[in-house]
Amino acid sequence: MKYILSLILVILNLINVPLNMLYMKVQKWYLPMWKKDKIIYFAFAPFYWILVILTFIFGWPCEKLPNLIH
């Protein structure tokens, strides 16, 4: 069971790390749009929140699984 959880953790981290990097870059671009251009801010909001949800879906288990392995 320990090896299966370790394998799942590795696979999740292979997805989570690039996704988290993308999220940080998009966030750095997206949040200042509130002051610069509100139309782009609201037009891009659904895509931003989908990225936030995906980051949470893959990131939360990556933080909780190591506690189950040890």
Side-chain angles (χ1 to χ4, degrees):
M1 185 69 180
K2 193 177 200 181
Y3 298 113
I4 294 171
L5 288 176
S6 296
L7 180 65
I8 291 171
L9 183 63
V10 168
I11 292 170
L12 283 175
N13 274 320
L14 285 174
I15 297 169
N16 185 41
V17 171
L19 188 64
N20 202 12
M21 297 292 285
L22 176 66
Y23 168 70
M24 289 189 297
K25 288 181 183 182
V26 168
Q27 184 180 29
K28 195 180 289 185
W29 170 81
Y30 175 71
L31 292 180
M33 283 296 151
W34 178 254
K35 293 181 181 177
K36 292 179 184 176
D37 190 359
K38 298 216 185 213
I39 294 172
I40 290 178
Y41 182 85
F42 288 115
F44 196 72
F47 302 110
Y48 175 75
W49 285 107
I50 289 171
L51 186 60
V52 169
I53 292 168
L54 285 174
T55 304
F56 177 76
I57 288 172
F58 287 105
W60 188 76
C62 289
E63 293 178 8
K64 299 299 179 186
L65 269 180
N67 297 334
L68 296 175
I69 294 173
H70 290 113

